């Protein structure tokens, strides 16, 4: 093809036939054919692109989500993305269904009642009243530091506030008059990291302390989302640690058995993750159990993460038996023990996405400084956090009020369970009760537990956290999160549950039908 194409109009040959064209014209004519061919190919390519775009949109809208439509899902999402398609918790879809039609005692008394989420909605109003003060909002936006980049581990003043708070409520809870400077002498702010929730920090810890395929030991039953927290980014594997009496906590023998089992599968055991007070049991591990577990982990050169997000929700303020790992170890965490806390439970503010980490491992903090770039807490929220955590008068009053509300709902819930003759674990902390419905199952199997959960949802419009998702070996264990709803809604839920229990005992599973299940709602 020549360089004279600019002289030729491909849309006009001025009436000349190809045979009478000179060489120059024939060259230009050849270009015109090539141009039309190129345009045609471009048009075809455009149509194919448009088809792909529509199909990607269809996938986004769920039209190809069942995998039965033509085309491979690999065209629309990566292998890593496909691994994330499964909900992190198996009952999450039922929970979302409940949220679309929630029970209201007056406007929707037959609506759904979700009792599967560990959130304390009873204390939100009290906490909100403190945050909505004009001075608090002013401070959140008045200082230039909130508008600029800063240390991804947290603003200096916020890390100081967290250190102060942890010293007063975890290390020396009996020392209410401890001054700000005295507190910072014990827990140093440079050992504090702030992240977007406890889940984010657990994920970052797994990333920094373990390699893909490494095992994380967790005493069972345990919080269902831990599986996703250590797997999604870090690629770690959870190994439940089963004990003869889970309410007491794991012994060194229990931990060793679980570790040997993991190693038999070719896994390197790297982390021990403990939640104290325990979720879902609501029990408190004795200090001797915590110390023994840490000693065992250290004998294997492992790291121990101690999650204490329910620490300030003990049903009794002092003398409840809870002792923070910070106090148990006399504030000497070393490089291998890492303490977690968050606003999500004790302050009913899971939506704030604020978690705290206390670690004395400087290399770990340097690693987290890079990871936290992607999950930092906004600076205005950090300013609010620092103001609230150092407001001693409010904090002590708020926590006393929160414990009173928790106790009242707990006693109401367990009283009704007693009336139904449903066994449960006596809780000393937390915002849930772990109940045993195994005698009501159609079979003592995971399938029987799932059948009961489905009946509970369909007939009574209630959802509770099933034990199977919490790695409980005994089918029929369910966690009831009684603080997720108001007392009047909780009463409706317990009335429905009472009627359903009565129907199952009277009719048995073989005779349960639409007629026998009437009058539950």
């Amino acid at each position: 093809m020549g360089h004279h194409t600019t002289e030729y109009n491909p849309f006009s040959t001025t009436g000349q036939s190809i045979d009478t064209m000179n060489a120059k014209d024939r060259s230009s004519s050849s270009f015109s054919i090539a141009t039309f061919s190129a345009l045609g190919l471009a048009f075809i390519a455009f149509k194919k692109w448009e088809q792909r775009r529509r199909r990607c949109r269809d996938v986004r809208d769920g039209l190809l989500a069942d995998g039965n439509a033509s085309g491979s899902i690999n065209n629309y999402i990566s292998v890593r993305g496909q691994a994330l398609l499964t909900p992190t918790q198996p009952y999450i879809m039922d929970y979302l269904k409940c949220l679309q039609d929630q029970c209201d005692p007056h406007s929707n008394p037959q609506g759904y009642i979700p009792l599967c989420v560990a959130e304390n909605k009873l204390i939100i109003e009290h906490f909100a009243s403190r945050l909505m003060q004009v001075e608090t909002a002013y401070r959140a936006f008045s200082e230039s530091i909130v508008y600029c980049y800063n240390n991804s581990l947290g603003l200096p003043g916020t890390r100081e506030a967290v250190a102060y708070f942890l010293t007063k409520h975890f290390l020396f809870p009996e020392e209410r008059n401890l001054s700000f400077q005295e507190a910072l002498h014990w827990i140093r702010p440079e050992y504090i990291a702030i992240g977007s929730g406890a889940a984010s920090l657990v994920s970052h810890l797994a990333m920094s302390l373990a390699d893909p395929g490494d095992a994380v030991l967790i005493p069972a039953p345990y919080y269902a989302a831990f599986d996703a927290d250590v797997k999604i980014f870090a690629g770690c594997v959870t190994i439940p640690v089963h004990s003869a009496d889970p309410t007491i906590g794991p012994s060194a023998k229990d931990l060793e058995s679980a570790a040997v089992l993991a190693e038999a599968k070719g896994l390197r055991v790297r982390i021990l993750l403990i939640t104290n007070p325990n979720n879902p049991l609501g029990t408190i591990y004795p200090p001797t159990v915590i110390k023994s577990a840490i000693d065992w982990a250290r004998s294997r050169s492992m790291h121990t993460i101690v999650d204490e997000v329910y620490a300030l929700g003990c049903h009794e303020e002092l003398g409840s038996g809870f002792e923070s790992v910070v106090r148990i170890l006399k504030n000497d965490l070393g490089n291998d023990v890492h303490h977690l806390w968050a606003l999500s439970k004790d302050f009913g503010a899971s939506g704030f996405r604020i978690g705290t980490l206390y670690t004395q491992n400087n290399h770990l903090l340097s690693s987290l400084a890079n990871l936290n770039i992607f999950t930092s807490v906004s600076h205005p929220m950090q300013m609010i956090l620092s103001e609230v955590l150092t407001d001693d008068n409010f904090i002590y009053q708020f926590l006393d009020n929160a414990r009173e509300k928790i106790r009242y709902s707990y006693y109401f819930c367990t009283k009704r369970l007693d009336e139904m003759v449903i066994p449960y674990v006596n809780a000393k902390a937390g915002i849930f009760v772990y109940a045993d419905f195994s005698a009501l199952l159609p079979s003592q199997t995971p399938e029987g537990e799932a059948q009961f959960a489905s009946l509970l949802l369909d007939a009574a419009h209630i959802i509770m956290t099933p034990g199977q998702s919490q790695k409980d070996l005994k089918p029929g264990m369910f966690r009831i999160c009684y603080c997720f709803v108001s007392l009047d809604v909780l009463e409706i839920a317990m009335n429905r549950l009472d009627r359903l229990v009565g129907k199952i005992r009277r009719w048995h599973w073989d005779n349960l039908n639409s007629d026998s299940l009437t009058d539950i709602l």
Side-chain angles (χ1 to χ4, degrees):
M1 187 177 296
H3 296 287
H4 305 288
T5 56
T6 56
E7 301 177 11
Y8 181 71
N9 182 351
F11 299 102
S12 174
T13 60
T14 64
Q16 296 182 28
S17 68
I18 295 177
D19 290 337
T20 59
M21 289 180 183
N22 57 28
K24 177 180 178 180
D25 291 333
R26 284 197 299 273
S27 175
S28 298
S29 178
S30 298
F31 172 74
S32 70
I33 295 172
T35 302
F36 277 117
S37 298
L39 289 171
L41 291 172
F43 180 76
I44 293 171
F46 171 78
K47 295 299 291 183
K48 288 183 177 180
W49 172 84
E50 189 177 45
Q51 289 173 356
R52 286 197 299 269
R53 183 179 62 83
R54 285 199 301 267
R55 289 175 66 82
C56 287
R57 181 193 62 202
D58 290 344
V59 171
R60 179 197 65 200
D61 294 340
L63 299 180
L64 296 180
D66 59 0
N68 295 324
S70 61
S72 169
I73 195 171
N74 291 323
N75 293 334
Y76 315 114
I77 194 170
S78 69
V79 173
R80 287 184 300 182
Q82 292 175 48
L84 299 174
L85 294 177
T86 303
T88 56
Q89 299 179 40
Y91 54 88
I92 193 67
M93 299 309 296
D94 289 338
Y95 166 66
L96 295 177
K97 178 181 178 181
C98 289
L99 292 184
Q100 295 173 3
D101 183 24
Q102 286 195 75
C103 173
D104 182 276
H106 306 292
S107 63
N108 191 24
Q110 294 186 333
Y112 289 87
I113 304 177
L115 300 176
C116 59
V117 180
E119 287 183 333
N120 189 349
K121 293 189 175 182
L122 306 178
I123 59 177
I124 292 177
E125 185 176 353
H126 189 181
F127 193 39
S129 66
R130 172 62 182 82
L131 300 180
M132 289 188 292
Q133 294 180 11
V134 175
E135 296 81 1
T136 304
Y138 177 81
R139 184 169 183 232
F141 295 98
S142 63
E143 298 185 31
S144 61
I145 193 173
V146 306
Y147 295 90
C148 306
Y149 292 124
N150 208 290
N151 193 325
S152 65
L153 295 177
L155 296 176
T158 307
R159 296 170 79 183
E160 289 181 351
V162 171
Y164 171 74
F165 181 82
L166 294 180
T167 302
K168 293 200 71 168
H169 296 275
F170 289 79
L171 182 57
F172 299 124
E174 72 283 359
E175 299 290 342
R176 290 199 171 196
N177 295 321
L178 199 67
S179 72
F180 192 84
Q181 291 305 320
E182 287 174 329
L184 298 192
H185 170 75
W186 291 98
I187 294 183
R188 291 161 52 185
E190 58 266 33
Y191 288 152
I192 299 297
I194 301 166
S196 58
S200 171
L201 289 170
V202 169
S203 177
H204 288 353
L205 286 169
M207 282 280 289
S208 299
L209 301 176
D211 293 318
D214 284 350
V216 179
L217 302 188
I218 313 177
Y222 61 74
Y223 172 49
F226 276 150
D227 292 332
D229 292 347
V230 304
K231 175 183 178 182
I232 288 180
F233 288 110
C236 293
V237 180
T238 53
I239 300 293
V241 180
H242 297 288
S243 307
D245 187 355
T247 64
I248 297 176
S251 65
K253 182 179 179 181
D254 297 328
L255 294 167
E256 184 65 24
S257 297
V260 170
L261 178 63
E263 290 167 342
K265 297 178 180 179
L267 304 175
R268 183 179 71 149
V269 183
R270 186 62 178 157
I271 298 173
L272 170 62
L273 173 55
I274 297 175
T275 300
N276 187 40
N278 180 272
N279 173 15
L281 300 175
T283 55
I284 297 171
Y285 294 151
T288 53
V289 170
I290 297 294
K291 184 63 167 59
S292 172
I294 293 172
D295 288 342
W296 173 85
R298 284 176 167 168
S299 73
R300 281 176 154 265
S301 299
M302 291 169 53
H303 288 269
T304 302
I305 302 170
V306 183
D307 177 355
E308 295 184 349
V309 294
Y310 296 100
L312 306 182
C314 297
H315 296 178
E316 303 295 335
E317 181 181 2
L318 292 175
S320 60
F322 173 77
E323 191 170 334
S324 172
V325 66
V326 181
R327 186 180 178 94
I328 293 171
L329 296 181
K330 297 180 173 59
N331 199 34
D332 183 14
L333 306 185
N335 288 321
D336 54 1
V337 177
H338 318 285
H339 175 272
L340 286 175
W341 181 77
L343 257 68
S344 53
K345 311 305 178 183
D346 292 331
F347 286 84
S350 55
F352 283 19
R353 310 309 307 139
I354 298 178
T356 69
L357 170 70
Y358 174 34
T359 178
Q360 296 169 356
N361 186 325
N362 285 312
H363 291 293
L364 172 61
L365 287 165
S366 296
S367 174
L368 292 175
N370 287 323
L371 287 171
N372 244 25
I373 291 173
F374 308 103
T375 57
S376 296
V377 177
S378 70
H379 291 170
M381 288 303 300
Q382 290 194 44
M383 296 296 280
I384 292 173
L385 175 66
S386 62
E387 178 178 320
V388 172
L389 293 188
T390 54
D391 184 350
D392 289 337
N393 291 334
F394 168 76
I395 291 294
Y396 286 120
Q397 180 190 33
F398 174 83
L399 292 176
D400 287 343
N401 180 57
R403 279 187 283 265
E404 182 179 351
K405 289 181 178 295
I406 291 172
R407 282 196 300 266
Y408 194 90
S409 288
Y410 171 76
Y411 290 142
F412 177 84
C413 183
T414 54
K415 182 176 181 295
R416 295 303 305 274
L417 290 174
D418 287 334
E419 293 171 357
M420 298 178 219
V421 196
I422 298 294
Y424 57 87
V425 176
N426 288 310
K428 292 185 177 180
I431 48 181
F432 32 71
V433 59
Y434 203 51
D436 183 356
F437 293 88
S438 59
L440 301 174
L441 303 186
S443 63
Q444 297 300 309
T445 62
E447 293 74 21
E449 178 179 285
Q451 282 181 263
F452 178 80
S454 295
L455 182 66
L456 186 67
L457 180 65
D458 295 337
H461 287 186
I462 296 173
I463 178 172
M464 303 183 299
T465 315
Q468 187 177 358
S469 68
Q470 300 166 105
K471 302 300 186 293
D472 200 312
L473 296 177
K474 181 179 181 178
M477 302 300 297
F478 284 82
R479 185 187 67 170
I480 305 174
C481 298
Y482 51 80
C483 286
F484 187 78
V485 295
S486 60
L487 272 172
D488 49 0
V489 174
L490 179 62
E491 183 175 10
I492 293 174
M494 300 310 290
N495 288 339
R496 293 183 193 175
L497 185 60
D498 190 4
R499 288 192 286 268
L500 179 63
V501 168
K503 298 281 188 181
I504 295 174
R505 286 172 173 161
R506 178 181 177 185
W507 295 97
H508 305 288
W509 282 85
D510 293 339
N511 299 312
L512 290 177
N513 52 46
S514 56
D515 293 331
S516 59
L517 291 173
T518 57
D519 302 327
I520 291 179
L521 295 177

